[in-house]
């Protein structure tokens, strides 16, 4: 067994591959937002259940690292301007979406 530290992060390409697959499952669920949420959650659960426990932790570590790194006033300002306002919850959702490399929101939040 090849163990890696529990502080390891999943490579971003693999992380976003998993997220992209869940987004595809959500899109295939039709136009109902509740159905999309259920499909995306089920897809994520299925994909993560295929991983060993270390890779699940690495996925969580990558998510948490990206989430923390995106908590900047510059990104909040961009969210406020792009969305016509931005609450605390709205900023959380915006931060997650803006990190996806497929998102073309032109927010360079990493600098």
């Amino acid at each position: 067994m090849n163990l890696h530290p529990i502080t390891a992060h999943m490579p971003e390409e693999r992380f976003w591959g998993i997220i992209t697959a869940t987004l595809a499952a959500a899109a295939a669920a039709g136009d109902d937002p509740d159905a999309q949420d259920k499909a995306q959650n089920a897809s994520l659960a299925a994909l993560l259940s295929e991983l060993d426990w270390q890779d699940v932790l690495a996925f969580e570590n990558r998510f948490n690292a990206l989430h923390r790194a995106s908590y900047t006033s510059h990104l909040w300002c961009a969210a406020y301007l792009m969305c016509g306002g931005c609450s605390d919850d709205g900023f959380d959702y915006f931060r997650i979406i803006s990190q996806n490399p497929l998102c073309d929101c032109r927010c360079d939040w990493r600098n």
Side-chain angles (χ1 to χ4, degrees), residues 24-80:
D31 294 332
D32 178 36
D34 289 333
Q36 291 174 347
D37 286 346
K38 288 178 183 176
Q40 186 173 16
N41 290 339
S43 175
L44 181 59
L47 291 169
L48 292 179
S49 71
E50 295 172 3
L51 304 177
D52 65 29
W53 65 270
Q54 292 179 343
D55 286 334
V56 172
L57 283 177
F59 178 91
E60 181 181 19
N61 290 342
R62 173 60 64 194
F63 174 85
N64 289 336
L66 288 169
H67 198 251
R68 279 189 308 274
S70 68
Y71 196 80
T72 68
S73 60
H74 296 290
L75 186 59
W76 200 323
C77 183
Y80 186 89

Side-chain angles (χ1 to χ4, degrees), residues 10-23 47 59 101:
M10 180 175 279
E12 280 197 51
E13 299 79 25
R14 187 172 182 202
F15 174 87
W16 288 116
I18 291 170
I19 298 301
T20 300
T22 68
L23 291 172
L47 291 169
F59 178 91

